């Protein structure tokens, strides 16, 4: 899930957690450079996998008790919020996680809920994000269908499974049908901020720019899910809607002669005109509002090479430009590599937790395309995000950081900046998955056990800092304050992405039924929903 973190007003401390049993499971010493000894003990991985399932159940208990039917659990206040249309985002986003973990009782409750949802209406006429609705709801239902039809077809009795498959297809179509009007624009670039109850979009003075422009992320990130829906239903309509918008990205044109739509080959601006399809700026990177574009260049080509193999060349071009122009290093740590951003043809040192998916994405691309140069850089980027995690007192990477350490350093920051070589500009951690996502790709596609150990380090930090005794997990305001104040929200991606990646990490090599190896026939969406490859 790839959008910038919203600022929250936070006032409550995390409740104490008693999870000492987790710390009795062996952990290899923390080290940035040392390669841990290979873990061959299946019992150890089974214990760790069980701990991840316990975390999912603890999250489910909190959600079911205090937030059932709503989008998010507010674990500290034992309440709820509806940030994603009020359709039960946590239920639907985590459905495929429950399937993969083999939890049929929870799956039945999730399916029963999906049957009740009216995807044509929102309760309070909320602002509906086309992007978030696609990746959390549509992607979640499509993945659940593919898993139940395929490797997890024994999770439910046959008649129950067949009913579930029909339900998931019906509701996926219903949801997509309610969103298709967003594409009714002169350029085919869809509006993102919708008012479903009136089949309109947001047009207030405050959001004029949002009503007139679409981001790179919105334009392209619908391609994979909407194409999968078309393939599943044998109805090309949904895929065709996204293809019109796609043409503006593959052949970018700036809004005027003073602007370039492609500051570096393959690296585009962020914002396009909905009216003309032309680019309105020349800034971006692999972080918020652009990341899933680059992610889906590769993944869509793997989903259907017969239709989208041309996207691999675009992805390769973007990676090559990133290697030559966007790689940055913390001050005093030339051996640590991270990704910066760009404004026109200048690079800055802004890093983010969101961009930490790139290491895994590059490892996946290197594996699929047999490119050792990209593999080396993918591993370096993943190590860079591990470094950002170890640098903090909690062991969790912050939301955003800056490698320019020469300006505006407060006395409070000085010691950290001197040691780490970067400044933390947004110190929060919101239960994001991107760091462990890259650990998962690293483990599966390189076979290196260090990624499994790094994932266990991360999970122990989450248990210690984020677990709420009454149910659920909460993000933290400042990764450099141990036991600090908590963010009173558990977004759906915690159960839909973070815990899924962690579970698959400890299941890998012990009978996993789905993986990200291209030859296994699955591709994971930007929200970690596995879709069956069609070729």
């Amino acid at each position: 899930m790839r959008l910038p973190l919203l600022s929250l007003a936070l006032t409550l401390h995390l409740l104490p957690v008693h999870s000492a049993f987790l710390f009795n499971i062996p952990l290899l010493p923390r080290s940035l450079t040392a390669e841990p000894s290979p873990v061959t003990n299946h019992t150890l991985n089974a214990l760790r996998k069980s701990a991840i399932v316990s975390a999912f159940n603890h999250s489910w208990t909190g959600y079911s008790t205090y937030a059932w039917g709503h989008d998010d659990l507010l674990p500290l206040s034992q309440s709820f919020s509806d940030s994603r249309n009020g359709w039960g985002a946590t239920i639907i986003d985590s459905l495929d996680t429950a399937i993969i973990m083999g939890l049929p009782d929870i799956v039945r409750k999730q399916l029963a809920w999906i049957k009740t949802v009216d995807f044509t209406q929102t309760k309070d006429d909320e602002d509906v994000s086309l992007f978030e609705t696609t990746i959390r709801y549509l992607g979640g239902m499509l993945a659940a269908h593919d898993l139940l039809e395929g490797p997890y077809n024994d999770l439910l009795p046959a008649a129950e499974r067949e009913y579930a498959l029909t339900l998931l297809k019906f509701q996926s179509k219903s949801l997509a049908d309610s969103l298709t009007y967003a594409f009714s624009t002169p350029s085919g670039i869809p509006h993102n901020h919708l008012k479903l109850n009136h089949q309109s979009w947001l047009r207030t003075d405050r959001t004029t720019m949002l009503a007139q422009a679409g981001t790179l992320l919105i334009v392209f990130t619908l391609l994979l899910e909407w194409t999968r829906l078309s393939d599943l239903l044998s109805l090309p309509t949904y895929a065709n809607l996204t293809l019109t918008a796609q043409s503006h990205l593959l052949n970018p044109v700036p809004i005027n002669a003073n602007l370039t739509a492609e500051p570096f080959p393959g690296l585009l601006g962020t914002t396009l005109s909905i009216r003309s399809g032309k680019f309105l700026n020349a800034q971006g990177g692999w972080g918020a509002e652009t990341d899933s574009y680059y992610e889906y260049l590769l993944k869509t080509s793997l989903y259907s090479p017969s239709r989208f193999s041309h996207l691999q060349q675009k992805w390769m071009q973007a990676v090559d430009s990133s290697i030559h122009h966007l790689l940055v290093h913390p001050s005093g740590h030339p051996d640590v590599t991270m990704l910066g951003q760009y404004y026109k043809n200048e690079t800055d040192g802004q890093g983010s937790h969101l961009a930490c998916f790139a290491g895994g994405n590059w490892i996946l691309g290197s594996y699929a395309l047999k490119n050792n140069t990209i593999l080396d850089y993918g591993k370096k980027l993943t190590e860079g995000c591990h470094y950002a995690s170890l640098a903090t007192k909690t062991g969790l990477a912050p939301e955003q950081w800056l490698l320019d350490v020469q300006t505006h350093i407060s006395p409070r920051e000085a010691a950290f900046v001197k040691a780490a070589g970067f400044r933390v500009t947004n110190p929060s951690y919101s239960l994001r998955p991107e760091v462990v996502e890259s650990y998962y790709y690293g483990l599966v596609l390189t076979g290196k056990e260090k990624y499994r150990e790094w994932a266990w380090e991360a999970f122990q930090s989450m248990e210690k800092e984020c677990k709420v005794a009454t149910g659920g997990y909460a993000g933290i305001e400042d990764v450099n304050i141990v036991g600090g104040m908590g963010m009173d929200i558990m977004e759906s991606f915690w159960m839909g992405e973070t815990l899924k990646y962690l579970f698959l990490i400890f299941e890998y090599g012990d009978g996993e039924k789905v993986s990200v190896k291209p030859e296994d026939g699955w591709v994971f969406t930007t929200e970690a929903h596995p879709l069956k490859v069609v070729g």
Side-chain angles (χ1 to χ4, degrees):
M1 198 283 305
R2 321 273 184 208
L3 284 181
L5 180 68
L6 298 177
S7 175
L8 298 172
L10 308 166
T11 57
L12 296 175
H13 288 276
L14 285 174
L15 296 171
V17 178
H18 303 288
S19 54
F21 78 98
L22 290 173
F23 299 92
N24 293 327
I25 302 174
L27 172 67
L28 300 183
R30 284 166 64 149
S31 169
L32 176 64
T33 57
E35 174 76 18
S37 301
V39 176
T40 58
N41 188 333
H42 292 290
T43 301
L44 174 61
N45 285 330
L47 285 169
R48 292 177 172 182
K49 184 172 71 171
S50 178
I52 307 303
V53 176
S54 294
F56 183 91
N57 284 327
H58 185 74
S59 302
W60 180 259
T61 297
Y63 173 80
S64 299
T65 303
Y66 304 113
W68 179 256
H70 296 278
D71 293 334
D72 319 296
L73 168 66
L74 307 183
L76 300 177
S77 57
Q78 298 173 22
S79 186
F80 57 82
S81 68
D82 285 315
S83 64
R84 302 298 171 201
N85 318 338
W87 294 333
T90 292
I91 298 172
I92 299 175
D93 208 3
S94 67
L95 172 57
D96 59 343
T97 307
I99 292 170
I100 289 170
M101 289 183 175
L103 303 172
D105 291 342
I106 291 178
V107 170
R108 288 187 177 97
K109 293 175 182 177
Q110 291 167 310
L111 291 169
W113 170 258
I114 290 173
K115 181 181 177 182
T116 71
V117 179
D118 179 2
F119 286 118
T120 68
Q121 299 286 316
T122 60
K123 285 183 286 190
D124 299 311
D125 199 25
E126 292 97 342
D127 173 8
V128 172
S129 165
L130 177 62
F131 167 69
E132 294 289 356
T133 300
T134 293
I135 67 172
R136 301 195 196 210
Y137 290 106
L138 183 59
M141 290 189 289
L142 292 172
H145 175 278
D146 286 355
L147 294 173
L148 288 174
E149 186 178 54
Y152 297 88
N153 61 12
D154 58 349
L155 184 68
L156 302 173
E160 200 174 341
R161 182 186 69 248
E162 290 305 314
Y163 177 80
L165 295 176
T166 301
L167 170 68
L168 290 166
K169 285 193 290 188
F170 176 85
Q171 286 290 62
S172 294
K173 184 178 187 301
S174 174
L175 174 58
D177 287 344
S178 74
L179 299 172
T180 53
Y181 78 91
F183 293 86
S184 298
T185 66
S187 65
I189 294 174
H191 289 283
N192 183 50
H193 298 267
L194 309 177
K195 292 291 186 181
L196 285 191
N197 296 3
H198 308 289
Q199 293 283 285
S200 63
W201 44 82
L202 213 57
R203 309 188 208 212
T204 64
D205 290 340
R206 181 178 60 85
T207 54
T208 297
M209 196 63 187
L210 292 176
Q212 294 178 346
T215 67
L216 187 64
L217 178 147
I218 304 304
V219 175
F220 202 81
T221 307
L222 310 177
L223 181 60
L224 184 54
E225 287 89 344
W226 285 61
T227 299
R228 179 63 189 135
L229 178 63
S230 275
D231 292 343
L232 188 61
L233 300 177
S234 299
L235 294 173
T237 305
Y238 306 104
N240 289 343
L241 285 170
T242 67
L243 292 175
T244 301
Q246 177 195 146
S247 64
H248 297 290
L249 306 185
L250 301 183
N251 302 287
V253 177
I255 194 70
N256 58 56
N258 297 322
L259 192 70
T260 175
E262 203 170 15
F264 302 107
L267 295 175
L268 307 181
T270 303
T271 310
L272 302 89
S273 164
I274 283 177
R275 179 168 297 278
S276 68
K278 295 180 179 180
F279 275 83
L280 301 176
N281 66 11
Q283 63 192 57
W286 290 72
E289 298 186 343
T290 56
D291 46 0
S292 296
Y293 164 69
Y294 302 110
E295 179 182 10
Y296 272 18
L297 285 174
L298 174 65
K299 290 183 174 182
T300 306
S301 73
L302 296 178
Y303 169 73
S304 183
S306 64
R307 287 173 288 179
F308 300 112
S309 60
H310 62 285
L311 299 181
Q312 287 186 1
Q313 183 58 38
K314 285 289 184 180
W315 181 83
M316 287 277 289
Q317 193 178 41
V319 170
D320 184 67
S321 288
S322 298
I323 290 171
H324 284 92
H325 301 288
L326 300 188
L327 298 184
V328 291
H329 311 279
S331 178
H333 299 275
D335 55 325
V336 177
T337 301
M338 297 176 173
L339 272 174
Q341 297 182 348
Y342 54 89
Y343 177 74
K344 296 184 178 179
N345 60 352
E346 295 183 0
T347 303
D348 64 33
Q350 294 184 60
S352 69
H353 202 124
L354 282 169
C356 282
F357 90 95
N361 183 254
W362 290 22
I363 291 172
L364 173 64
S366 72
Y367 184 95
L369 304 176
K370 299 179 173 56
N371 187 307
N372 287 330
T373 299
I374 296 177
L375 172 62
D376 290 341
Y377 282 107
K379 292 190 293 187
K380 288 179 180 179
L381 292 179
T382 304
E383 290 165 1
C385 289
H386 182 234
Y387 174 87
S389 302
L390 293 188
T392 72
K393 292 182 180 179
T394 60
L396 297 167
E399 180 74 7
Q400 294 176 325
W401 58 87
L402 182 65
L403 273 64
D404 177 8
V405 298
Q406 303 304 316
T407 57
H408 308 299
I409 304 299
S410 70
R412 185 177 64 85
E413 297 177 283
F416 176 86
V417 171
K418 182 178 180 180
F422 65 86
R423 294 178 54 211
V424 174
T425 53
N426 183 336
S428 63
Y429 171 67
S430 60
L431 308 176
R432 286 204 184 279
E434 286 78 14
V435 170
V436 296
E437 173 183 349
S438 284
Y439 295 168
Y440 173 58
Y441 281 90
L443 172 68
V444 173
L445 300 177
T446 75
K448 296 294 185 181
E449 287 289 338
K450 68 180 181 182
Y451 297 112
R452 187 138 43 193
E453 293 305 314
W454 292 357
W456 185 245
E457 290 174 1
F459 178 64
Q460 287 194 305
S461 293
M462 295 168 192
E463 282 288 293
K464 180 181 178 184
E465 300 296 333
C466 303
K467 190 173 184 179
V468 180
T470 53
Y473 289 71
I476 56 180
E477 275 192 297
D478 192 330
V479 293
N480 275 321
I481 299 177
V482 174
M485 297 180 70
M487 300 171 63
D488 192 13
I489 189 167
M490 186 183 82
E491 283 211 52
S492 66
F493 56 71
W494 164 249
M495 297 176 69
E497 294 187 75
T498 308
L499 291 178
K500 181 188 290 124
Y501 282 126
L502 286 166
F503 178 86
L504 290 171
I505 284 170
F506 297 109
E507 186 180 54
Y508 176 68
D510 192 24
E512 69 278 3
K513 295 181 178 181
V514 63
S515 90
V516 291
K517 286 184 177 178
E519 62 266 29
D520 289 344
W522 296 90
V523 63
F524 282 45
T525 71
T526 194
E527 193 78 0
H529 295 308
L531 301 180
K532 187 65 178 173
V533 166
V534 298

